[in-house]
Amino acid sequence: MVKTKRKLPAPVPTPAPTRQADNEADDSGSDYDVERYMQPTKVAKTVAEQFPLPKQVRKDVVKRSARDEPEEEESSEDDDDGDLPTLTKKQIEGILQTIKNNKRLVLNISNVNFSTAKEEIEEHFRKAGRVKSVRIPKRRSSGFAFVEMLNPDGFQKAFLLDGSFLDGRQIKVQLSESGKKKSHQKILQLERKNAEIRKMRKKNRVKPEATEVTLVPKVLPKVVERDPYLDKPKTKPPTKKEIKAHNKKVSLKAKFRNVAMKGINV
């Protein structure tokens, strides 16, 4: 018997996809062509766009606005205070006259870290002078403390610590008054005084009385102590000529007078 090979059926040709089918397939699973079917929203015109000004009027408006605007360089100079000098002694006397209890030299220290102790604040302000007391309120909304200086010299130098870093924070040193409770009016008065002090310190950049005051201690020359007996200057004995000149000066009457005072009859 002869084996015959089976013939496979001919493949059925598939119809070519139409454009509509492609568009339906594309639109079914993508969101990229949504914008083509969405109408753009109309933006309402402003009054200036609806009724534009003439060219000459526009130029005048631009010139006036340029004159009225402050220069950026001047504003940057005012904002950047840098290291300000302290107050002069006359200025401190004038400020203390406006305070009732001016015998107590109290300063308000703000932006203090909550973990900073009294001893650390006292040690920091010893650079300016002797510290009388440090008070940290128990109930406080923000970190601040009160430092009382012992003398006016330390009070004057303490303003130089404004802007210094204490326990990782840049502190602010301002004037304050003694007393635990302060009224709203007193707080406003202190704010005005501190604003005046800020202006005075800016003007003191030219005054040598304020710029010469520094926190660097003056190095005094070493004083060598001497023994009053061992370090006495040695006196030379008188010469013969000096003895003769001294004897000539003493008169004979004076010699007799001295002898009579001793009770010797010559």
Side-chain angles (χ1 to χ4, degrees):
M1 291 181 68
V2 181
K3 292 181 180 181
T4 56
K5 294 182 179 180
R6 288 184 182 181
K7 294 183 179 180
L8 296 172
V12 179
T14 56
T18 60
R19 290 184 179 178
Q20 288 182 353
D22 292 340
N23 292 334
E24 287 176 0
D26 294 339
D27 294 340
S28 61
S30 64
D31 296 332
Y32 294 107
D33 297 332
V34 176
E35 295 179 358
R36 289 187 297 176
Y37 301 101
M38 293 178 65
Q39 293 182 356
T41 55
K42 293 181 180 180
V43 181
K45 290 184 178 181
T46 59
V47 178
E49 290 175 352
Q50 289 178 0
F51 307 100
L53 295 172
K55 290 183 180 179
Q56 191 62 34
V57 177
R58 251 185 260 161
K59 288 181 181 179
D60 295 339
V61 170
V62 171
K63 286 180 182 178
R64 287 174 186 172
S65 61
R67 288 175 188 172
D68 296 338
E69 286 179 358
E71 296 181 358
E72 292 182 359
E73 294 179 358
E74 293 180 358
S75 62
S76 62
E77 287 178 1
D78 294 338
D79 294 338
D80 188 12
D81 295 337
D83 295 332
L84 295 176
T86 185
L87 300 170
T88 60
K89 290 184 178 179
K90 290 182 180 179
Q91 289 172 348
I92 287 172
E93 288 176 1
I95 290 165
L96 292 176
Q97 284 177 0
T98 60
I99 298 172
K100 290 183 179 179
N101 192 3
N102 54 10
K103 292 181 181 179
R104 296 184 64 182
L105 308 171
V106 185
L107 294 166
N108 183 3
I109 319 302
S110 57
N111 197 25
V112 180
N113 199 337
F114 284 95
S115 61
T116 307
K118 289 183 180 180
E119 292 77 13
E120 293 175 334
I121 298 172
E122 185 177 355
E123 187 178 356
H124 187 70
F125 276 84
R126 275 182 197 162
K127 300 173 186 175
R130 294 181 66 184
V131 180
K132 189 175 181 181
S133 64
V134 178
R135 186 172 71 86
I136 299 176
K138 293 180 180 179
R139 296 178 182 179
R140 50 180 178 171
S141 57
S142 59
F144 67 97
F146 296 97
V147 177
E148 184 178 355
M149 304 302 291
L150 190 65
N151 49 27
D153 292 335
F155 184 73
Q156 182 186 16
K157 290 182 180 179
F159 284 100
L160 293 172
L161 293 170
D162 182 25
S164 62
F165 286 88
L166 172 62
D167 201 5
R169 285 197 180 185
Q170 193 173 12
I171 60 172
K172 194 174 182 181
V173 181
Q174 291 183 332
L175 178 72
S176 183
E177 290 186 5
S178 59
K180 292 185 178 180
K181 292 183 180 179
K182 295 180 180 64
S183 62
H184 182 67
Q185 190 175 0
K186 274 191 177 181
I187 292 168
L188 291 174
Q189 288 177 356
L190 285 172
E191 287 179 358
R192 289 172 193 163
K193 286 177 186 177
N194 285 313
E196 291 176 3
I197 288 169
R198 195 80 176 170
K199 290 178 183 177
M200 283 192 284
R201 290 179 66 190
K202 286 179 184 178
K203 292 178 181 178
N204 286 349
R205 286 173 175 167
V206 190
K207 296 181 180 180
E209 298 176 2
T211 53
E212 288 176 358
V213 180
T214 58
L215 295 172
V216 180
K218 294 180 180 180
V219 180
L220 298 174
K222 292 183 180 180
V223 179
V224 181
E225 295 182 358
R226 294 185 177 182
D227 193 347
Y229 296 101
L230 297 176
D231 296 333
K232 273 186 178 181
K234 295 180 180 180
T235 56
K236 294 181 180 180
T239 60
K240 291 181 179 180
K241 290 182 179 180
E242 291 175 354
I243 292 169
K244 285 181 181 180
H246 179 69
N247 291 334
K248 284 180 182 179
K249 287 181 182 179
V250 179
S251 62
L252 188 62
K253 289 182 180 180
K255 289 181 180 179
F256 281 112
R257 195 180 300 120
N258 291 332
V259 171
M261 286 175 68
K262 292 179 181 177
I264 300 170
N265 295 325
V266 180

